[in-house]
Amino acid sequence: MNERRSMGRASPLFLVLLGLGIFFATYNLVTLVIHHQRREQRAELPGVDPVTRMPDELRRAEGSRRPFHVVVTATDAAYSRWQCRVMYYWYKRMKDGEGSEMGGFTRVLHSGKPDSLMDEIPTFVVNPLPAGMDRGYVVLNRPWAFVQWLEKATIEEEYILMAEPDHVFVRPLPNLARDDYPAGFPFFYIKPTEHSQIIRKFFPKEKGPVTNIDPIGNSPVIIKKSKLEKIAPTWMNISLKMKEDPETDKAFGWVLEMYAYAIASALHGVQHILRKDFMIQPPWDLKLENTFIIHFTYGCDYTLKGELTYGKIGEWRFDKRSFLLGPPPRNLSLPPPGVPESVVTLVKMLQQVQKDKLNTYRSQEHSKFYAWSISCELDMFLLFRIFTDY
């Protein structure tokens, strides 16, 4: 009887060995299944879309700096000059900040002749369109200016940021483009699908659906120079054709040239990564959050209680169009309490430019006065020596 009991009872050593055996067998089986699943997933995804797989692209770009050239087109009007000075000031302040990939800077001046900012801002002079060709729409000179600049200038950087005079950098800007995919800002008022009949005049069906056209303008856009060299002539030609077509001109108005760039890009098979954090546009965007640029194209009108009165001149206002003949005054007042952070920040940044420009001017004048004083002292000393010797 005792012998039967000992035979039916497993030894502790046997149970331990059995348990270890089951554990390793299970582990190997699970590992094999996971490995097989991963291999199947890789087989199902032969290509990776960099637009939808941004985290992977960002990881691949880590550690490799990809500088871009900042370029802005401008006229020689006082209205354009003061905005360019503000923009260039904040470019210099942000260029060497942490995370910045901002390279050189060029103001492409499409007036055909030098102006007073040549020594202050790096400038490349190009010709305007022939007289009358812009039909009073000066922005048509923009794509033509880019065509000339790309053909004639020496540009060291592989990438280009197309910016505008009314852009203020609020943070150091990294290169948001990824390889052949440019980065652009989605404008709420650029809606190709709502104008498909007009779009088809310039974007034929064989080129694909209208949804292939991104809801962007040409600025802000970070793009490879090689891509822009192909797009720019098409952009220029479409802009001119659109302006010549009454229906298109009436439908697109002041954003006609923006639609032209979006269509030209699609014709060349170029699609953009849409970055809403690229910039904000006060007064519609209230907070800075993680944006890089403030675009001050809209007027900002408020009551003294901080209430927006858009479309009606406010008790407090800032509108760049109020300063057609020169920059805002040095004593530009801050907005009243309750006005959004975006507007307050913009005004403070404009004040900072004016303050530093004034201090620079005072410093220069002080240096001139000091040099004049020394000169006077030397003259007095020489006169004293002459009379003494005499």
Side-chain angles (χ1 to χ4, degrees):
M1 188 71 177
N2 290 335
E3 290 179 1
R4 290 179 180 176
R5 287 179 180 175
S6 62
M7 289 177 63
R9 185 184 302 155
S11 67
L13 179 61
F14 174 77
L15 292 175
V16 171
L17 292 174
L18 181 63
L20 286 173
I22 294 171
F23 170 77
F24 284 116
T26 304
Y27 174 81
N28 289 334
L29 179 62
V30 171
T31 302
L32 183 63
V33 170
I34 292 175
H35 176 74
H36 180 69
Q37 287 178 338
R38 287 178 177 172
R39 187 172 64 185
E40 285 185 343
Q41 288 173 352
R42 285 196 295 270
E44 292 171 358
L45 297 171
V48 177
D49 181 0
V51 178
T52 59
R53 299 276 293 181
M54 282 297 294
D56 292 342
E57 287 298 322
L58 286 168
R59 281 195 291 272
R60 279 197 287 272
E62 285 180 359
S64 57
R65 191 172 185 274
R66 301 170 304 134
F68 54 85
H69 196 92
V70 180
V71 59
V72 56
T73 58
T75 71
D76 58 358
Y79 176 66
S80 177
R81 290 202 306 272
W82 74 256
Q83 292 179 58
C84 286
R85 296 182 81 181
V86 170
M87 194 241 187
Y88 185 59
Y89 174 92
W90 286 107
Y91 154 80
K92 291 190 294 183
R93 291 287 296 267
M94 300 298 167
K95 179 180 181 293
D96 298 322
E98 184 178 355
S100 168
E101 292 181 279
M102 303 163 82
F105 185 100
T106 299
R107 180 183 65 132
V108 179
L109 181 63
H110 53 76
S111 61
K113 59 183 185 298
D115 68 356
S116 60
L117 295 184
M118 300 295 293
D119 295 331
E120 181 178 339
I121 301 176
T123 300
F124 191 92
V125 180
V126 298
N127 293 319
L129 289 168
M133 187 172 284
D134 64 9
R135 298 171 181 263
Y137 181 52
V138 69
V139 186
L140 280 185
N141 286 279
R142 184 173 173 82
W144 171 224
F146 269 104
V147 169
Q148 296 174 82
W149 178 66
L150 289 166
E151 287 180 350
K152 300 175 182 179
T154 300
I155 309 161
E156 296 181 358
E157 296 86 350
E158 184 183 7
Y159 291 85
I160 290 170
L161 165 65
M162 293 188 285
E164 296 184 11
D166 57 358
H167 286 178
V168 175
F169 294 104
V170 293
R171 290 173 58 207
L173 180 60
N175 190 337
L176 303 178
R178 291 293 172 261
D179 297 327
D180 288 335
Y181 288 84
F185 176 79
F187 289 90
F188 68 88
Y189 48 80
I190 302 296
K191 301 176 180 179
T193 55
E194 293 187 7
H195 301 280
S196 57
Q197 185 175 353
I198 293 176
I199 294 288
R200 283 303 183 195
K201 294 182 179 183
F202 313 96
F203 189 74
K205 289 184 178 180
E206 57 266 25
K207 288 294 183 178
V210 173
T211 52
N212 284 354
I213 300 171
D214 294 322
I216 60 170
N218 65 85
S219 176
V221 165
I222 300 178
I223 185 171
K224 270 190 174 180
K225 180 174 61 177
S226 58
K227 293 286 185 184
L228 186 56
E229 286 172 339
K230 296 176 182 178
I231 293 172
T234 308
W235 169 27
M236 180 190 71
N237 290 328
I238 291 178
S239 296
L240 293 173
K241 289 178 181 178
M242 282 184 164
K243 192 64 180 175
E244 292 171 357
D245 181 73
E247 182 186 17
T248 305
D249 188 23
K250 181 179 179 181
F252 292 158
W254 65 275
V255 296
L256 178 149
E257 166 263 351
M258 296 172 70
Y259 271 100
Y261 173 80
I263 293 171
S265 299
L267 286 172
H268 286 275
V270 175
Q271 290 188 298
H272 297 67
I273 300 167
L274 304 180
R275 296 291 300 250
K276 290 184 178 180
D277 60 343
F278 213 148
M279 74 178 187
I280 59 171
Q281 302 185 95
W284 309 119
D285 297 306
L286 307 181
K287 296 183 178 180
L288 293 182
E289 295 182 338
N290 294 320
T291 195
F292 298 99
I293 294 171
I294 292 179
H295 183 206
F296 59 97
T297 189
Y298 295 106
C300 301
D301 290 273
Y302 293 89
T303 67
L304 295 181
K305 295 181 180 179
E307 299 168 341
L308 180 66
T309 63
Y310 192 77
K312 177 183 177 182
I313 295 178
E315 296 173 283
W316 180 95
R317 78 182 318 239
F318 173 78
D319 188 337
K320 66 177 185 177
R321 295 161 191 83
S322 300
F323 309 103
L324 296 177
L325 302 179
R330 295 189 180 96
N331 61 347
L332 182 66
S333 64
L334 283 173
V339 171
E341 173 192 25
S342 59
V343 179
V344 175
T345 301
L346 170 62
V347 174
K348 286 183 176 179
M349 295 183 81
L350 293 172
Q351 286 179 333
Q352 184 65 42
V353 176
Q354 294 291 63
K355 178 181 177 182
D356 283 6
K357 292 291 182 184
L358 177 60
N359 289 339
T360 300
Y361 172 78
R362 285 173 174 169
S363 177
Q364 291 172 346
E365 292 302 306
H366 176 75
S367 298
K368 291 178 183 178
F369 178 76
Y370 180 73
W372 177 79
S373 299
I374 295 296
S375 176
C376 288
E377 288 178 7
L378 287 173
D379 290 343
M380 292 297 293
F381 176 74
L382 289 173
L383 286 172
F384 175 75
R385 288 295 304 271
I386 289 171
F387 280 110
T388 303
D389 292 343
Y390 181 77

